Amino acid sequence: MVLGLVLMIFRLAYRIWLGRFWVEDAWAGVAFLCRVAAFTSCWTYTKAVGEEGIISFWVYSFTFPSVVWAVRQSILFSIIRIVYTTQHLRRLIFCLAGLFLGLWAGLVAQKAWHYGHNTCWYQTTRKVHILMTQPMIMFELITDCLSDTILIILPLRLLWSLRLPKRQKRMILAIFSSSIIVTIISIFRGVCQISKYITVLALTTDFETALSLLVCNLLVIVTLLYRIISSAGADDSISIDDDDYTTRITTGGVFTT
């Protein structure tokens, strides 16, 4: 969890330093703030009682899914950043961003209505996630799988036909495909929620948000390391003048600024 936050701080500072801070970095910043709020509320929830515990539960219930969905928005807009986009593709990605916002809002609205409609759980203890109904769990699981599938298939489809050196192409495809790991964790979390494995569930949710932050930063961090290593190896196919590889890819098969 700490590693994900440290990498996020480095990523945001690095992008600002380069003067390339854009929409995907802003969404990454939203994910960072939500993760800090989720971690703080989870920690205070274990210590607090009464009204403080209730407030901490509300904050955690909303900030946990917000981390994951903000990361998805960041990855989605990263596709615009690195792939040469036509007007049609740009509209498609903006429509997908709107879809993600709708699914995110639907999940938050479900939780707000369910937790606020019947407040008898205020008098109980150890209530994390166990209050979610099975339809809510299934909705969350389906939206997780749908959105992650889009984030895996879309960049693979766009990058597959580009004429890039094999090493660069494999690296970028592997970075975007890493979202499948988050999907697997989401499915496991859904099983834990349905089976009411509370102890395992708490660890799974923390691991999912931490892993989401890592996946969010992979494109910037890994490509930065790749540039450093390539520069040290005097690879003529790489432009040392490029500050990073989160820039557009032309159909000519080279990374450009």
Side-chain angles (χ1 to χ4, degrees):
M1 192 277 292
V2 176
L3 178 61
L5 295 177
V6 171
L7 289 179
M8 183 64 75
I9 294 174
F10 174 80
R11 177 250 180 88
L12 296 176
Y14 179 64
R15 300 293 294 173
I16 293 173
W17 178 68
L18 291 179
R20 293 181 183 173
F21 190 90
W22 199 56
V23 179
E24 83 273 20
D25 302 305
W27 277 114
V30 172
F32 172 78
L33 295 177
C34 291
R35 183 65 185 106
V36 172
F39 173 76
T40 304
S41 60
C42 182
W43 183 80
T44 55
Y45 175 73
T46 60
K47 306 291 183 180
V49 293
E51 184 177 350
E52 293 181 359
I54 295 173
I55 295 174
S56 298
F57 175 76
W58 274 101
V59 173
Y60 182 81
S61 297
F62 295 149
T63 53
F64 159 66
S66 297
V67 174
V68 180
W69 283 101
V71 165
R72 288 170 180 150
Q73 293 281 25
S74 178
I75 296 174
L76 187 63
F77 281 96
S78 295
I79 299 173
I80 297 181
R81 164 79 77 170
I82 70 167
V83 178
Y84 182 82
T85 56
T86 63
Q87 191 65 26
H88 174 72
L89 178 59
R90 186 176 293 270
R91 284 197 299 266
L92 172 62
I93 293 178
F94 280 126
C95 288
L96 290 175
L99 173 63
F100 284 11
L101 282 175
L103 295 176
W104 181 7
L107 178 61
V108 172
Q110 275 189 335
K111 289 188 174 184
W113 184 88
H114 182 67
Y115 296 151
H117 179 69
N118 184 0
T119 59
C120 63
W121 58 271
Y122 282 14
Q123 310 302 321
T124 63
T125 59
R126 316 315 307 163
K127 37 193 170 279
V128 176
H129 288 294
I130 193 63
L131 294 171
M132 291 182 64
T133 63
Q134 187 165 336
M136 292 174 62
I137 296 172
M138 293 304 299
F139 176 80
E140 186 175 30
L141 183 58
I142 292 173
T143 54
D144 286 343
C145 293
L146 175 63
S147 57
D148 289 339
T149 300
I150 292 174
L151 292 178
I152 294 171
I153 294 178
L154 182 61
L156 293 182
R157 174 64 182 85
L158 296 175
L159 294 170
W160 191 261
S161 59
L162 290 181
R163 292 177 296 170
L164 291 172
K166 290 184 179 180
R167 185 171 55 175
Q168 294 179 7
K169 180 180 286 189
R170 284 196 296 263
M171 179 187 69
I172 298 175
L173 293 178
I175 290 173
F176 281 109
S177 299
S178 60
S179 296
I180 195 172
I181 302 176
V182 180
T183 307
I184 295 173
I185 300 300
S186 298
I187 294 174
F188 180 73
R189 173 172 53 81
V191 173
C192 292
Q193 288 174 327
I194 294 174
S195 303
K196 300 181 181 180
Y197 296 145
I198 304 303
T199 303
V200 179
L201 178 60
L203 296 175
T204 304
T205 52
D206 287 338
F207 183 68
E208 182 179 354
T209 53
L211 187 61
S212 296
L213 290 182
L214 289 176
V215 171
C216 181
N217 295 314
L218 279 180
L219 185 62
V220 175
I221 302 300
V222 174
T223 51
L224 171 63
L225 295 177
Y226 181 79
R227 181 184 69 86
I228 295 174
I229 295 173
S230 298
S231 300
D235 190 345
D236 295 335
S237 65
I238 307 300
S239 174
I240 299 177
D241 295 332
D242 286 343
D243 293 309
D244 64 8
Y245 294 123
T246 55
T247 50
R248 288 186 179 182
I249 301 173
T250 69
T251 55
V254 295
F255 290 97
T256 69
T257 56

